[in-house]
Amino acid sequence: MRSALALLAAAAPALAGVKEVWWNITYVENVNPDGLFYRTAIGINNTWPPPPLDVNATDSLLVHVTNSVSEVATIHHHGMFFNSTSWMDGALGVSQCGIPPGETFDYVVPINTSGQTGTYWWHAHAKGQYVNGLRAPLVLHPEQEKHSYDEEFTVVLGDWYHQEHSVLLKQFVNIANPGGAEPIPDAPIMYFAQNGTYLAPIAGTNPPGSSNFVGFNENATLPFQPGKTYRLRIINASAFSAFYFWIDGHDMRIIEADGIDTEEYPVDQIGISVAQRYSILVTARNDTNVTNWAIHADMDTTMFDTVPDTLNPNATASITYSSSAPLVDLGTVDTFLDLNDTSLVPLDVEPLPPATRQIELEFEFDTMADGTNHATINGVTYNSPLVPAVLSELTLGSNATVASAYGPQSIVLDHLEVFDIVLKNGDTGKHPFHLHGHKMQLAGRATDYTSDDPTLNPPINETQPNPMRRDTVMIPGGGSVTLRVVADNPGVWFFHCHIEWHLEVGLAVQFVEAPLIAQERNTMPQFVIDQCQTLGNPVSGNAAGHASTTDLSGLPLGPYLQNNGWHPKGIGAMFGCVLTATIGMLTVTWYAIGGHISEAEMEHEALQHEEAKARRGRLFGLIKKRS
């Protein structure tokens, strides 16, 4: 084991405690959470699902991760700030090169200095491994909760594929799929955790496969006691699907979103996109006639190009008051409602600071010149650099402030700069965007960013006393959101759509924050560099590994949008065609108006015409011969 104490001392000098875990990323055979298909998944220590984490906010988390699968791997603790240590963030190509097979990476998550509490999760951030199951809850407990409740549970929602990510990706990024239809999940799954352990199946049920120690869907239940109030921490750990969540016969009040405690907000159902989290309070019923009640998590199938007949998009679990009581299941609802998260009010007040910079990012999907469908932001698709951006930031010296050195889709920010991300969805679908290393204030939303109608595209209210903050925001088709962010975390931070298929086709940018200050605060462990070298990757210089701000030779770029406009050869050919046609038309017109002959010639031609007419008449007996 590397010097864990040295790592912790560098990241968090004043420690109250350490939560330390040893994880081995492994393949797990015969996983079957939906009861429909046995497959190989990626888990931890030969088990799936991977372990949930419960950590006190006064502690630091140290995760020793050994990679025992056949490709590079990373772990991203979603929503964690990693103050000035972005090389611990786990984003492949941005903050590290990846853990080579057989090697270990020690992730230090300095929770005790971040000021963060609430509901989070961790997942792979390389090679689509979280599609294959490498994902689990992370709950941070404060010393004193701001809301009162008797007990808590974590609700994990996910989409599940029967085929492995690599197979699905080849089908997705393919000239046979020019429209970019995403792989449709084979099933939704819902399961529960408490105190760092998953809840077992309902007594008497026998789920199939190697994950049968966990209750999924109809085999999963939450034990309630009458009159108690429960906190349910809901996490959407999907790769693609959003969900609508509700509980039959019970009221729900939102009290947290993405780690931000909020005033109570009553809802009938919650729309929760990929990577988002909500906590709700639910007060148990106190009926004399005891019944158990259904818990529903329905996929948002409007996001799918097609809904296969084999897909049941509705996951249903239950609340159990008595094992002998009947289950009340009121079925699906007629209308699904998307939550207006700008209506949520944080308990810790942070007024909207004035912004000094606006960064407009308009994204869409299109068929590229190579026949595949990719995402673009401002017309460019994202590719991972050869040198992780954090290593470029730390090795370029004064040139680290030059955005072009990091390759396309790189934005350099000044320290403590307040900037707006104006994110415009030029696509018809919904997209959840996540910013690493920060919380974002929801400064404003538009339902149609192209409109001049202020009811559809309202101006930003700069006097907001306490706008909602979160780390993952959903943008509907044709809409936009303005996100106000303070650049208070030197490092490099990914900003991307959290639908895994969309990240794979380039729906991302990277923010290079306060490069010169990041260099001053550099405490990067040597093993980060060593693992890049093991993989044969350059470890210094610009995105392509050169000591230059302009020479990006060798850097993967593209594919590029089809150029359906006027090329030079086409312009020349069309000009020739138009010129020829014009001359021809003028010639015809000239001849038609007689501009080419004299009056004598016209008279002679008229006499010839009359004689010819007379000859035709005599031939057919229509005109008599003159005497």
Side-chain angles (χ1 to χ4, degrees):
M1 181 185 74
R2 259 176 291 271
S3 176
L5 292 178
L7 288 169
L8 289 168
L15 294 175
V18 178
K19 172 82 170 184
E20 192 170 8
V21 295
W22 287 262
W23 285 354
N24 188 15
I25 300 175
T26 59
Y27 297 112
V28 183
E29 304 295 334
N30 298 319
V31 171
N32 191 2
D34 60 359
L36 300 173
F37 188 83
Y38 291 89
R39 60 156 294 180
T40 299
I42 299 180
I44 295 293
N45 301 338
N46 298 306
T47 62
W48 191 90
L53 284 173
D54 275 36
V55 184
N56 293 326
T58 54
D59 291 343
S60 186
L61 174 64
L62 176 58
V63 184
H64 307 279
V65 178
T66 299
N67 179 15
S68 292
V69 297
S70 60
E71 56 191 4
V72 298
T74 68
I75 296 294
H76 169 59
H77 295 84
H78 182 106
M80 298 291 94
F81 290 156
F82 295 101
N83 296 296
S84 297
T85 60
S86 60
W87 51 83
M88 292 292 177
D89 187 47
L92 185 71
V94 178
S95 57
Q96 69 178 104
C97 293
I99 311 169
E103 296 200 14
T104 298
F105 194 105
D106 299 322
Y107 289 98
V108 177
V109 191
I111 296 164
N112 60 318
T113 60
S114 70
Q116 294 179 272
T117 63
T119 308
Y120 296 87
W121 63 306
W122 66 265
H123 59 85
H125 218 302
K127 305 295 183 180
Q129 290 160 356
Y130 108 74
V131 180
N132 289 339
L134 194 51
R135 58 198 190 194
L138 169 62
V139 176
L140 309 182
H141 296 282
E143 293 185 272
Q144 180 63 49
E145 288 285 1
K146 295 181 178 179
H147 292 278
S148 178
Y149 52 89
D150 298 299
E151 198 172 354
E152 70 174 56
F153 298 100
T154 299
V155 179
V156 184
L157 309 178
D159 51 20
W160 191 247
Y161 290 89
H162 292 165
Q163 289 184 298
E164 294 186 3
H165 166 267
S166 58
V167 175
L168 297 169
L169 183 62
K170 289 178 182 177
Q171 297 171 358
F172 176 50
V173 187
N174 195 301
I175 59 173
N177 183 32
E182 301 89 349
I184 307 300
D186 293 289
I189 53 176
M190 175 168 39
Y191 49 113
F192 307 128
Q194 185 182 45
N195 300 325
T197 304
Y198 292 114
L199 271 61
I202 296 173
T205 63
N206 187 27
S210 58
S211 53
N212 62 1
F213 61 96
V214 178
F216 295 95
N217 297 355
E218 68 276 3
N219 295 323
T221 192
L222 294 176
F224 271 25
Q225 296 181 31
K228 282 190 173 184
T229 296
Y230 294 88
R231 177 178 187 157
L232 304 186
R233 302 176 181 269
I234 309 165
I235 301 169
N236 185 349
S238 294
F240 182 19
S241 180
F243 278 90
Y244 294 100
F245 179 91
W246 74 97
I247 305 173
D248 287 342
H250 294 74
D251 296 325
M252 304 187 299
R253 294 109 68 196
I254 293 174
I255 58 166
E256 178 221 347
D258 292 0
I260 300 296
D261 292 308
T262 69
E263 295 178 3
E264 289 193 16
Y265 188 85
V267 289
D268 295 322
Q269 61 180 246
I270 298 175
I272 176 169
S273 68
V274 172
Q276 289 185 329
R277 296 88 62 207
Y278 288 99
S279 281
I280 59 173
L281 293 182
V282 179
T283 299
R285 299 172 68 101
N286 206 0
D287 301 339
T288 55
N289 183 21
V290 177
T291 55
N292 301 323
W293 295 86
I295 303 172
H296 299 273
D298 284 16
M299 287 177 158
D300 182 357
T301 57
T302 63
M303 299 176 66
F304 303 164
D305 279 46
T306 59
V307 181
D309 293 337
T310 55
L311 173 64
N312 176 9
N314 316 122
T316 303
S318 62
I319 289 172
T320 298
Y321 287 93
S322 170
S323 59
S324 60
L327 174 67
V328 176
D329 184 345
L330 301 180
T332 59
V333 296
D334 294 331
T335 304
F336 292 130
L337 303 174
D338 289 316
L339 176 68
N340 179 10
D341 51 4
T342 61
S343 299
L344 300 177
V345 179
L347 290 181
D348 292 335
V349 176
E350 291 188 14
L352 190 71
T356 58
R357 182 178 181 184
Q358 186 177 87
I359 300 169
E360 293 196 9
L361 302 176
E362 184 175 20
F363 66 89
E364 59 186 346
F365 291 78
D366 208 339
T367 305
M368 312 302 274
D370 67 356
T372 64
N373 191 281
H374 276 68
T376 63
I377 296 179
N378 297 344
V380 179
T381 192
Y382 174 85
N383 286 278
S384 291
L386 298 179
V387 178
V390 69
L391 287 175
S392 292
E393 181 184 52
L394 297 177
T395 61
L396 280 170
S398 60
N399 284 335
T401 60
V402 181
S404 61
Y406 301 91
Q409 303 299 43
S410 302
I411 300 163
V412 174
L413 302 168
D414 293 332
H415 188 45
L416 299 180
E417 181 177 11
V418 180
F419 63 100
D420 278 350
I421 303 171
V422 183
L423 189 61
K424 301 176 179 180
N425 183 357
D427 187 43
T428 57
K430 304 173 183 177
H431 295 269
F433 267 75
H434 169 52
L435 177 61
H436 290 220
H438 300 78
K439 287 288 193 291
M440 307 173 287
Q441 288 183 307
L442 307 185
R445 283 186 178 274
T447 55
D448 181 359
Y449 69 85
T450 66
S451 176
D452 294 328
D453 185 344
T455 62
L456 301 176
N457 189 8
I460 301 300
N461 175 9
E462 294 290 348
T463 64
Q464 295 178 67
N466 188 26
M468 184 56 193
R469 307 182 295 276
R470 63 187 319 165
D471 60 52
T472 307
V473 61
M474 189 273 285
I475 307 96
S480 70
V481 62
T482 299
L483 307 167
R484 190 151 298 178
V485 186
V486 179
D488 57 1
N489 194 356
V492 180
W493 307 103
F494 219 13
F495 182 58
H496 63 93
C497 179
H498 216 287
I499 292 173
E500 182 68 10
W501 309 114
H502 298 167
L503 177 57
E504 295 276 11
V505 292
L507 194 48
V509 300
Q510 55 190 15
F511 288 106
V512 182
E513 190 169 326
L516 301 183
I517 293 177
Q519 292 173 15
E520 293 174 2
R521 298 181 182 179
N522 180 16
T523 58
M524 177 185 287
Q526 182 62 36
F527 66 79
V528 180
I529 298 171
D530 292 344
Q531 292 186 355
C532 288
Q533 293 174 329
T534 297
L535 294 167
N537 294 350
V539 295
S540 64
N542 65 18
H546 308 306
S548 166
T549 59
T550 56
D551 179 11
L552 295 176
S553 57
L555 184 67
L557 298 171
Y560 299 101
L561 289 166
Q562 292 182 357
N563 187 350
N564 293 321
W566 292 104
H567 300 269
K569 289 184 179 179
I571 293 172
M574 178 58 73
F575 178 79
C577 291
V578 171
L579 180 61
T580 301
T582 302
I583 293 173
M585 292 173 65
L586 289 174
T587 301
V588 171
T589 303
W590 182 254
Y591 272 89
I593 64 175
H596 64 296
I597 57 176
S598 65
E599 289 186 5
E601 290 171 326
M602 289 177 65
E603 184 178 354
H604 175 70
E605 194 166 291
L607 289 173
Q608 287 182 324
H609 178 72
E610 285 297 320
E611 289 178 1
K613 181 178 178 182
R615 285 196 297 271
R616 288 195 300 273
R618 287 194 296 272
L619 179 63
F620 291 97
L622 298 176
I623 300 177
K624 293 183 179 180
K625 184 179 180 180
R626 293 191 181 107
S627 59

